[in-house]
Amino acid sequence: MTSATTEATTEATTEKIASSTSPKTVTSDKRFKVLNATMKRHHYQQDALIEVLHQAQESFGFLELEVLEFVARGLKLPLSRVYGVATFYHLFSLKPNGKHTCVICMGTACYVKGSDKILTELEQKLGIKVGQTTADGEVSLMSARCLGACGIAPAVVFDGEVAGKQDENDVLATVKTWQSLT
Ligand code: FES
């Protein structure tokens, strides 16, 4: 199978899995393709659930409902089972506490283009560490490992929207708009 054919197949499978969740977000967000590739690598076996959730958390920073639904459909498991596993293990976080979420990609492509500087700057300016939420409850700062958007590194996700070619100033400017909205 050529790489173009493989990519087309992965895309088709991602869309199929997405079909009863939220097609628009799922098919336009490359992180779901990364997640689907992980499930495919495990031959969509149900006992790969924890590893798949790991990948999901690394890609998304946390496990929102849409992601859990995508995994449930991909592995043909009841959502209740996927949700149960995700809530049982402390290493998985279902939702950041903040009103807004900023996820910095720390994958290799983004890291070499300075995502570590973005993260350090943000931690300093917000006075929190990655994984924490500001005292005013406005911003949760998370990290992920490869959002599937390496071509636009460094990539950052603001409230679910992926933004590319970011630097410290861009990210701070966006985060400040959230804080000034209070
Ligand atoms: S390493 Fe950041 S998007 Fe791939």
Side-chain angles (χ1 to χ4, degrees):
M1 203 185 276
T2 65
S3 70
T5 317
T6 310
E7 195 166 309
T9 311
T10 304
E11 192 130 339
T13 320
T14 308
E15 283 177 25
K16 203 164 137 206
I17 297 172
S19 63
S20 83
T21 52
S22 174
K24 191 165 162 283
T25 317
V26 173
T27 54
S28 63
D29 188 333
K30 286 193 179 147
R31 292 175 293 173
F32 284 100
K33 286 191 190 118
V34 173
L35 190 53
N36 184 43
T38 302
M39 292 194 282
K40 193 174 175 195
R41 207 167 49 245
H42 289 284
H43 307 288
Y44 299 96
Q45 281 177 0
Q46 298 180 336
D47 57 12
L49 176 59
I50 291 185
E51 276 154 285
V52 171
L53 289 177
H54 253 297
Q55 174 63 56
Q57 174 134 321
E58 284 191 353
S59 294
F60 290 84
F62 59 98
L63 302 174
E64 55 192 314
L65 183 61
E66 195 175 26
V67 173
L68 297 179
E69 285 174 344
F70 186 79
V71 170
R73 285 189 62 75
L75 299 183
K76 296 195 174 28
L77 283 167
L79 180 59
S80 56
R81 167 87 193 286
V82 176
Y83 188 81
V85 170
T87 47
F88 181 78
Y89 291 99
H90 292 305
L91 63 150
F92 296 128
S93 86
L94 261 62
K95 206 176 179 345
N97 298 323
K99 206 157 124 193
H100 300 280
T101 312
C102 177
V103 184
I104 316 273
C105 181
M106 297 297 282
T108 310
C110 292
Y111 187 87
V112 298
K113 293 210 167 170
S115 62
D116 58 325
K117 289 193 202 82
I118 299 176
L119 185 61
T120 306
E121 181 77 11
L122 230 64
E123 285 183 333
Q124 272 172 11
K125 288 277 174 1
L126 294 174
I128 54 173
K129 289 283 174 202
V130 66
Q132 297 180 335
T133 299
T134 50
D136 60 5
E138 283 298 311
V139 186
S140 289
L141 180 61
M142 323 288 285
S143 68
R145 246 201 271 158
C146 195
L147 306 169
C150 310
I152 53 167
V156 177
V157 189
F158 300 104
D159 284 342
E161 293 280 326
V162 180
K165 301 193 186 299
Q166 295 287 294
D167 65 18
E168 301 89 290
N169 296 332
D170 298 328
V171 178
L172 276 172
T174 303
V175 168
K176 271 184 192 153
T177 62
W178 292 338
Q179 294 195 299
S180 65
L181 292 176
T182 54

